[in-house]
Amino acid sequence: MTSKPVPPTPLLSEKHNGIPTRLFDKAQETKSGILNIATKSESERTKVALPQGINQTTFRVAIAELCDRLGEEHVEFVTKLDDGWYMENPNTHDGMHISDDSDFVASVVVYPGSTEEVQTVVQWANAYRIPISPISIGRNYGYGGAAPRVRGAVVLDLGRRMNRILDINPDDCTCLVEPGVTYFALYEEIQARGFQHLWIDVPDIGGGSVLGNALDRGVGYTPYGDHWMMHCGMEVVLPTGEVIRTGMGALPGNNSWQLFPYGFGPTADGIFSQSNMGVVTKMGFGLMPNPGDHESYLYTFPKDKDLSQLIDIIRPLRIAMILENVAQLRHVSMQVGLEGKPRSSYYKGKGRIPDSFIHEAAQNLSHGDCSWLYYGMSYGPKEIRQYKLDIIHKEFMKIPGARRIDPASLPADDYFWVRDRIASGVPDIEELRWVNWHPNGGHIAFSPVSPVRGNDATALWDIARKRCDEYDLDFFPTFVVGLREMHLIVEIVFNRDDPVMRNNARACLRGMIDDAAQRGYGEYRTHLAFMDQIAGTYNWNNGALLKFNEKIKDCLDPNGIMAPGKSGIWPARYRGRGWEMSASDESSEGKGVNPNPGTVRL
Ligand code: FAD
Ligand code: EUG
């Protein structure tokens, strides 16, 4: 295939969300791979999507006022929908839309430049009862991207103007960041300041927001992989416009804001995570000290059926931290996907691609054919590593046909070294390659949590496979092993320009969510379209938790302006009007809003 030349990806030195120079060539190659098989073009919008409950005239007046207060250069109407690609992501809608691209769409995007300006926008939204939806970078791919749940909401793109690294403390090993700081940016800055003794923890691709990813409780792959756990201290603008600092940040002049997360009294942080209770404007994190030396290892296991035994081997080793990092146990289909070639180059038939085609393709990979790959890392001096590595080797080799891949046998551009970088806090972009499995590739993730137990892993694997068979979809599963639990991440790639495949992907995910809930499994995170469904599965004691969340919501956000519907939490103004999405009602909209919302006047 000859590649068309593509315009350059913006650099980090030019844009807050750009690519570091060291990864520019790789970004260009990835972009060209995506654009080469793309057929979908951007769509023009002649009409701005108005939020329900406001007429065109009032909306125009409201936006004119917003322009006055913030400067009109910081307010943009949404007039076209360009899906772009990961590095040049839209802030207007979901760049990997699972329904029509104009479904979860914003009316206007606004760029506040400070906490005070965020307060201004929030007060403005209350005055006009216009829904607003905060994003930090908007690369929440697989989970809705930058899109608001409610059509016509005003997206607050915080990242463009609030992207300062406020502090990196080399002694305490902490940092304090604004929403627009990406993993790429934080990593490069730590290097530039000469703080090589500090590591960050990065997800598979480094273009996300350190703050935004942690708010959605995302994961990375060093021992600090649970991003929410590693956060410490927040500054939040509440839905009525007040600002609070959590933890030690509430005590003026205190110097432990990034050191002790709890402060005094109830800890408020939790209600701002995966929520619609506030706009987070600052967040602190603990940084891992560089352990001096580290070593990646890769084991392969021959059969799908090895999963159960392997997971039972992993559990005690992981809880004891012999397995030290949040590692990935990847299915070989993931590795075939990483070749970056479309599915059609392996198989042109209908239905889920037969296993034999995946295994045949896998024979050409550096590690050869297998079913499962465990990419892990050991940290610290050789003698300390060796003690753990010997135990791991002995345990993993109990599985017949298990192989340890010798890293020395792998070329410098092998994916092994990407995982080696990621598990040592160096952000990369390679993981994007499997999204090219279909032209106009989009993806959604089924992300259930379970114990690290063989029978649970097998149950979830069976659910995913059965539903993918039913809906003619391929699936890319990876287990992300936390400390006492694991997330299974099943990526489903679809063609964004193929409504049938999109609908199948949606129905497939709905099926998996129901099947999982029936057996007692719940998801750790989800796409906008499934939030109502999943909130509905966490329904112990007559939905007591959702009722509690609604009570907090009504109290903090009486006018229901902040990200209505996020995580299935609908404010009073929307409740009982059919806004919830489900298999029988895939419309993201309801029947209007209550014209007389909260009693609190602002
Ligand atoms: P944003 O989109 O900015 O924020 C995420 C959500 O948090 C928003 O939708 C919003 O609801 C809320 N939010 C954001 N900012 C604020 C704020 N200031 N106040 C209140 N609410 C806010 N994810 C992982 O965690 N681990 C992975 O390993 C991983 N691998 C991926 C691999 C591929 C190939 C792809 C395509 C995606 C992957 N993702 C992964 C998913 C996703 O890309 C990342 O989680 C990404 O970091 C999320 O986007 P973001 O950081 O730009 O967050
Ligand atoms: C991954 C992807 C996720 C996530 C956690 C991990 C990694 C995939 C798209 O969402 O939530 C290989």
Side-chain angles (χ1 to χ4, degrees), residues 218-262:
V219 299
Y221 305 99
T222 73
Y224 279 32
D226 180 340
H227 292 166
W228 179 252
M229 188 197 282
M230 290 303 163
H231 98 274
C232 193
M234 311 164 91
E235 180 183 90
V236 189
V237 175
L238 300 179
T240 41
E242 301 92 332
V243 191
I244 63 168
R245 288 188 177 180
T246 68
M248 300 307 287
L251 199 158
N254 181 269
N255 59 4
S256 309
W257 193 17
Q258 269 62 68
L259 304 179
F260 182 63
Y262 313 127

Short mmCIF file of all heavy atoms in Angstrom, two decimals, residues 218-262:
data_model
loop_
_atom_site.label_atom_id
_atom_site.label_comp_id
_atom_site.label_asym_id
_atom_site.label_seq_id
_atom_site.Cartn_x
_atom_site.Cartn_y
_atom_site.Cartn_z
N GLY A 218 -8.85 5.92 35.62
CA GLY A 218 -8.07 5.18 34.63
C GLY A 218 -6.88 4.46 35.25
O GLY A 218 -6.59 4.61 36.44
N VAL A 219 -6.22 3.67 34.41
CA VAL A 219 -5.12 2.83 34.90
C VAL A 219 -3.85 3.01 34.09
O VAL A 219 -3.87 3.33 32.91
CB VAL A 219 -5.49 1.32 34.85
CG1 VAL A 219 -6.68 1.04 35.73
CG2 VAL A 219 -5.74 0.86 33.42
N GLY A 220 -2.72 2.79 34.77
CA GLY A 220 -1.41 2.74 34.13
C GLY A 220 -0.68 1.50 34.61
O GLY A 220 -1.28 0.64 35.26
N TYR A 221 0.61 1.40 34.36
CA TYR A 221 1.26 0.09 34.44
C TYR A 221 2.54 0.01 35.25
O TYR A 221 3.26 -0.98 35.17
CB TYR A 221 1.44 -0.43 33.01
CG TYR A 221 0.10 -0.44 32.29
CD1 TYR A 221 -0.26 0.59 31.42
CD2 TYR A 221 -0.83 -1.43 32.57
CE1 TYR A 221 -1.52 0.62 30.81
CE2 TYR A 221 -2.09 -1.42 31.97
CZ TYR A 221 -2.43 -0.39 31.11
OH TYR A 221 -3.66 -0.38 30.53
N THR A 222 2.85 1.03 36.03
CA THR A 222 3.92 0.87 37.02
C THR A 222 3.24 0.37 38.30
O THR A 222 2.02 0.17 38.32
CB THR A 222 4.63 2.22 37.32
OG1 THR A 222 3.75 3.05 38.09
CG2 THR A 222 5.04 2.95 36.04
N PRO A 223 3.98 0.21 39.39
CA PRO A 223 3.30 -0.15 40.65
C PRO A 223 2.29 0.92 41.10
O PRO A 223 1.45 0.64 41.94
CB PRO A 223 4.47 -0.28 41.64
CG PRO A 223 5.63 -0.69 40.78
CD PRO A 223 5.44 0.08 39.51
N TYR A 224 2.36 2.13 40.55
CA TYR A 224 1.42 3.20 40.91
C TYR A 224 0.22 3.25 39.93
O TYR A 224 -0.35 4.31 39.69
CB TYR A 224 2.13 4.56 40.87
CG TYR A 224 2.95 4.91 42.10
CD1 TYR A 224 3.60 3.94 42.84
CD2 TYR A 224 3.09 6.24 42.49
CE1 TYR A 224 4.37 4.27 43.95
CE2 TYR A 224 3.85 6.59 43.61
CZ TYR A 224 4.50 5.59 44.33
OH TYR A 224 5.25 5.94 45.43
N GLY A 225 -0.15 2.11 39.37
CA GLY A 225 -1.09 2.10 38.25
C GLY A 225 -2.52 2.53 38.53
O GLY A 225 -3.27 2.82 37.60
N ASP A 226 -2.93 2.56 39.80
CA ASP A 226 -4.30 2.99 40.12
C ASP A 226 -4.28 4.50 40.31
O ASP A 226 -3.88 5.01 41.36
CB ASP A 226 -4.75 2.26 41.40
CG ASP A 226 -6.16 2.62 41.82
OD1 ASP A 226 -6.67 3.69 41.40
OD2 ASP A 226 -6.77 1.84 42.58
N HIS A 227 -4.71 5.22 39.29
CA HIS A 227 -4.51 6.67 39.27
C HIS A 227 -5.33 7.41 40.32
O HIS A 227 -4.91 8.42 40.84
CB HIS A 227 -4.78 7.22 37.87
CG HIS A 227 -3.75 6.75 36.90
ND1 HIS A 227 -3.89 6.85 35.54
CD2 HIS A 227 -2.53 6.18 37.09
CE1 HIS A 227 -2.82 6.35 34.95
NE2 HIS A 227 -1.99 5.93 35.87
N TRP A 228 -6.52 6.89 40.58
CA TRP A 228 -7.33 7.55 41.61
C TRP A 228 -6.68 7.36 42.98
O TRP A 228 -6.61 8.29 43.79
CB TRP A 228 -8.76 6.99 41.58
CG TRP A 228 -9.63 7.60 42.61
CD1 TRP A 228 -10.11 7.01 43.75
CD2 TRP A 228 -10.12 8.95 42.65
NE1 TRP A 228 -10.85 7.89 44.47
CE2 TRP A 228 -10.88 9.09 43.82
CE3 TRP A 228 -9.99 10.04 41.78
CZ2 TRP A 228 -11.52 10.28 44.16
CZ3 TRP A 228 -10.60 11.23 42.12
CH2 TRP A 228 -11.36 11.35 43.30
N MET A 229 -6.18 6.16 43.22
CA MET A 229 -5.52 5.89 44.51
C MET A 229 -4.32 6.83 44.73
O MET A 229 -4.05 7.24 45.85
CB MET A 229 -5.03 4.44 44.54
CG MET A 229 -4.51 4.00 45.91
SD MET A 229 -3.53 2.50 45.79
CE MET A 229 -4.80 1.27 45.66
N MET A 230 -3.64 7.18 43.66
CA MET A 230 -2.40 7.95 43.78
C MET A 230 -2.64 9.46 43.74
O MET A 230 -1.69 10.23 43.77
CB MET A 230 -1.43 7.55 42.66
CG MET A 230 -0.87 6.16 42.86
SD MET A 230 -0.06 6.03 44.48
CE MET A 230 0.02 4.24 44.64
N HIS A 231 -3.89 9.88 43.65
CA HIS A 231 -4.12 11.33 43.65
C HIS A 231 -4.11 11.82 45.09
O HIS A 231 -4.36 11.06 46.03
CB HIS A 231 -5.43 11.67 42.93
CG HIS A 231 -6.58 11.88 43.87
ND1 HIS A 231 -7.37 10.85 44.33
CD2 HIS A 231 -7.07 12.99 44.47
CE1 HIS A 231 -8.28 11.33 45.15
NE2 HIS A 231 -8.13 12.62 45.26
N CYS A 232 -3.80 13.09 45.26
CA CYS A 232 -3.76 13.64 46.61
C CYS A 232 -4.07 15.13 46.57
O CYS A 232 -3.24 15.95 46.20
CB CYS A 232 -2.39 13.38 47.24
SG CYS A 232 -2.36 13.66 49.01
N GLY A 233 -5.30 15.47 46.91
CA GLY A 233 -5.71 16.87 46.97
C GLY A 233 -6.31 17.37 45.67
O GLY A 233 -5.80 17.12 44.58
N MET A 234 -7.47 18.08 45.80
CA MET A 234 -8.13 18.64 44.62
C MET A 234 -8.63 20.04 44.91
O MET A 234 -8.90 20.39 46.07
CB MET A 234 -9.37 17.81 44.25
CG MET A 234 -9.18 16.34 44.17
SD MET A 234 -10.77 15.47 44.18
CE MET A 234 -11.06 15.39 42.44
N GLU A 235 -8.77 20.81 43.84
CA GLU A 235 -9.52 22.07 43.90
C GLU A 235 -10.70 21.90 42.96
O GLU A 235 -10.54 21.45 41.83
CB GLU A 235 -8.64 23.23 43.42
CG GLU A 235 -9.36 24.58 43.46
CD GLU A 235 -8.47 25.68 42.89
OE1 GLU A 235 -8.52 25.92 41.66
OE2 GLU A 235 -7.73 26.30 43.67
N VAL A 236 -11.90 22.24 43.45
CA VAL A 236 -13.12 21.95 42.70
C VAL A 236 -14.05 23.17 42.70
O VAL A 236 -14.28 23.78 43.74
CB VAL A 236 -13.90 20.78 43.33
CG1 VAL A 236 -15.04 20.33 42.42
CG2 VAL A 236 -13.00 19.60 43.66
N VAL A 237 -14.57 23.50 41.51
CA VAL A 237 -15.63 24.49 41.41
C VAL A 237 -16.96 23.74 41.47
O VAL A 237 -17.22 22.85 40.65
CB VAL A 237 -15.53 25.31 40.10
CG1 VAL A 237 -16.72 26.26 39.97
CG2 VAL A 237 -14.21 26.07 40.04
N LEU A 238 -17.78 24.05 42.46
CA LEU A 238 -19.05 23.36 42.64
C LEU A 238 -20.09 23.85 41.62
O LEU A 238 -19.93 24.93 41.05
CB LEU A 238 -19.55 23.58 44.08
CG LEU A 238 -18.61 23.08 45.17
CD1 LEU A 238 -19.18 23.39 46.55
CD2 LEU A 238 -18.34 21.59 45.01
N PRO A 239 -21.15 23.07 41.42
CA PRO A 239 -22.15 23.45 40.42
C PRO A 239 -22.85 24.78 40.70
O PRO A 239 -23.52 25.32 39.83
CB PRO A 239 -23.15 22.29 40.47
CG PRO A 239 -22.39 21.14 41.02
CD PRO A 239 -21.40 21.73 41.98
N THR A 240 -22.72 25.30 41.91
CA THR A 240 -23.31 26.62 42.19
C THR A 240 -22.24 27.72 42.20
O THR A 240 -22.54 28.86 42.54
CB THR A 240 -24.04 26.60 43.55
OG1 THR A 240 -23.24 25.86 44.48
CG2 THR A 240 -25.40 25.94 43.42
N GLY A 241 -21.00 27.36 41.87
CA GLY A 241 -19.98 28.38 41.66
C GLY A 241 -18.96 28.57 42.77
O GLY A 241 -17.95 29.23 42.59
N GLU A 242 -19.20 27.98 43.97
CA GLU A 242 -18.19 28.10 45.03
C GLU A 242 -16.97 27.24 44.70
O GLU A 242 -17.10 26.24 43.99
CB GLU A 242 -18.74 27.62 46.40
CG GLU A 242 -19.96 28.36 46.90
CD GLU A 242 -21.25 27.70 46.46
OE1 GLU A 242 -21.28 27.03 45.39
OE2 GLU A 242 -22.25 27.84 47.19
N VAL A 243 -15.82 27.59 45.28
CA VAL A 243 -14.62 26.77 45.08
C VAL A 243 -14.23 26.13 46.40
O VAL A 243 -14.22 26.81 47.44
CB VAL A 243 -13.41 27.62 44.64
CG1 VAL A 243 -12.26 26.72 44.19
CG2 VAL A 243 -13.79 28.57 43.55
N ILE A 244 -13.88 24.85 46.37
CA ILE A 244 -13.34 24.21 47.57
C ILE A 244 -12.00 23.56 47.26
O ILE A 244 -11.70 23.26 46.11
CB ILE A 244 -14.29 23.14 48.17
CG1 ILE A 244 -14.51 21.98 47.17
CG2 ILE A 244 -15.62 23.74 48.58
CD1 ILE A 244 -15.19 20.77 47.80
N ARG A 245 -11.19 23.40 48.30
CA ARG A 245 -10.00 22.55 48.20
C ARG A 245 -10.20 21.39 49.16
O ARG A 245 -10.64 21.59 50.31
CB ARG A 245 -8.73 23.32 48.53
CG ARG A 245 -8.38 24.28 47.42
CD ARG A 245 -7.04 24.93 47.59
NE ARG A 245 -6.75 25.77 46.44
CZ ARG A 245 -5.65 26.48 46.29
NH1 ARG A 245 -4.71 26.46 47.23
NH2 ARG A 245 -5.47 27.21 45.21
N THR A 246 -9.90 20.17 48.72
CA THR A 246 -10.14 19.00 49.57
C THR A 246 -8.88 18.63 50.34
O THR A 246 -7.78 19.08 50.02
CB THR A 246 -10.61 17.80 48.73
OG1 THR A 246 -9.52 17.37 47.90
CG2 THR A 246 -11.81 18.15 47.86
N GLY A 247 -9.05 17.79 51.36
CA GLY A 247 -7.93 17.29 52.15
C GLY A 247 -7.24 18.43 52.89
O GLY A 247 -7.89 19.34 53.42
N MET A 248 -5.92 18.39 52.94
CA MET A 248 -5.15 19.40 53.66
C MET A 248 -5.24 20.77 52.99
O MET A 248 -4.89 21.79 53.60
CB MET A 248 -3.68 18.97 53.77
CG MET A 248 -3.45 17.65 54.50
SD MET A 248 -4.20 17.56 56.13
CE MET A 248 -3.11 18.63 57.07
N GLY A 249 -5.70 20.80 51.76
CA GLY A 249 -5.82 22.06 51.03
C GLY A 249 -6.82 23.02 51.64
O GLY A 249 -6.85 24.21 51.30
N ALA A 250 -7.67 22.50 52.55
CA ALA A 250 -8.66 23.37 53.18
C ALA A 250 -8.06 24.22 54.29
O ALA A 250 -8.70 25.14 54.79
CB ALA A 250 -9.81 22.52 53.74
N LEU A 251 -6.83 23.91 54.70
CA LEU A 251 -6.20 24.66 55.79
C LEU A 251 -5.22 25.67 55.20
O LEU A 251 -4.19 25.27 54.63
CB LEU A 251 -5.49 23.68 56.74
CG LEU A 251 -5.16 24.20 58.14
CD1 LEU A 251 -4.97 23.03 59.10
CD2 LEU A 251 -3.95 25.11 58.17
N PRO A 252 -5.54 26.96 55.30
CA PRO A 252 -4.69 27.97 54.65
C PRO A 252 -3.23 27.87 55.14
O PRO A 252 -2.98 27.70 56.32
CB PRO A 252 -5.32 29.29 55.09
CG PRO A 252 -6.72 28.96 55.43
CD PRO A 252 -6.70 27.57 55.97
N GLY A 253 -2.31 27.92 54.22
CA GLY A 253 -0.89 27.90 54.57
C GLY A 253 -0.34 26.51 54.84
O GLY A 253 0.83 26.34 55.12
N ASN A 254 -1.19 25.49 54.73
CA ASN A 254 -0.71 24.12 55.00
C ASN A 254 0.25 23.65 53.92
O ASN A 254 0.11 24.00 52.75
CB ASN A 254 -1.92 23.18 55.08
CG ASN A 254 -1.50 21.76 55.39
OD1 ASN A 254 -1.24 20.97 54.49
ND2 ASN A 254 -1.38 21.45 56.65
N ASN A 255 1.24 22.83 54.33
CA ASN A 255 2.22 22.37 53.33
C ASN A 255 2.14 20.86 53.05
O ASN A 255 3.09 20.27 52.57
CB ASN A 255 3.63 22.79 53.75
CG ASN A 255 4.01 22.20 55.11
OD1 ASN A 255 3.24 21.43 55.68
ND2 ASN A 255 5.17 22.57 55.60
N SER A 256 0.98 20.24 53.34
CA SER A 256 0.85 18.80 53.11
C SER A 256 -0.27 18.44 52.14
O SER A 256 -0.73 17.30 52.12
CB SER A 256 0.59 18.07 54.44
OG SER A 256 1.54 18.45 55.40
N TRP A 257 -0.67 19.40 51.32
CA TRP A 257 -1.82 19.17 50.44
C TRP A 257 -1.62 17.95 49.53
O TRP A 257 -2.54 17.16 49.31
CB TRP A 257 -2.07 20.43 49.58
CG TRP A 257 -3.40 20.45 48.87
CD1 TRP A 257 -4.50 19.69 49.14
CD2 TRP A 257 -3.76 21.29 47.78
NE1 TRP A 257 -5.54 20.02 48.28
CE2 TRP A 257 -5.10 21.00 47.43
CE3 TRP A 257 -3.08 22.29 47.04
CZ2 TRP A 257 -5.76 21.65 46.39
CZ3 TRP A 257 -3.74 22.93 46.01
CH2 TRP A 257 -5.08 22.61 45.69
N GLN A 258 -0.40 17.79 49.04
CA GLN A 258 -0.13 16.66 48.14
C GLN A 258 0.44 15.44 48.88
O GLN A 258 0.90 14.49 48.26
CB GLN A 258 0.82 17.09 47.01
CG GLN A 258 0.10 17.61 45.78
CD GLN A 258 -0.73 18.85 46.06
OE1 GLN A 258 -0.18 19.90 46.33
NE2 GLN A 258 -2.05 18.71 46.02
N LEU A 259 0.41 15.50 50.23
CA LEU A 259 1.04 14.41 50.99
C LEU A 259 0.03 13.55 51.75
O LEU A 259 0.20 12.35 51.90
CB LEU A 259 2.05 14.99 51.99
CG LEU A 259 3.13 15.86 51.35
CD1 LEU A 259 4.07 16.40 52.42
CD2 LEU A 259 3.91 15.10 50.30
N PHE A 260 -1.03 14.19 52.26
CA PHE A 260 -2.02 13.47 53.06
C PHE A 260 -3.39 13.75 52.46
O PHE A 260 -3.87 14.88 52.52
CB PHE A 260 -1.95 13.93 54.52
CG PHE A 260 -2.90 13.21 55.43
CD1 PHE A 260 -2.79 11.84 55.62
CD2 PHE A 260 -3.92 13.89 56.08
CE1 PHE A 260 -3.67 11.17 56.46
CE2 PHE A 260 -4.80 13.22 56.91
CZ PHE A 260 -4.68 11.86 57.11
N PRO A 261 -4.02 12.73 51.86
CA PRO A 261 -5.22 13.00 51.07
C PRO A 261 -6.48 13.32 51.87
O PRO A 261 -7.43 13.84 51.32
CB PRO A 261 -5.42 11.70 50.27
CG PRO A 261 -4.69 10.66 51.02
CD PRO A 261 -3.57 11.33 51.75
N TYR A 262 -6.50 12.99 53.18
CA TYR A 262 -7.78 13.00 53.88
C TYR A 262 -8.12 14.29 54.61
O TYR A 262 -9.29 14.61 54.76
CB TYR A 262 -7.85 11.82 54.86
CG TYR A 262 -7.40 10.51 54.24
CD1 TYR A 262 -6.43 9.72 54.83
CD2 TYR A 262 -7.94 10.09 53.03
CE1 TYR A 262 -6.02 8.53 54.24
CE2 TYR A 262 -7.53 8.90 52.43
CZ TYR A 262 -6.56 8.13 53.04
OH TYR A 262 -6.16 6.97 52.47
#
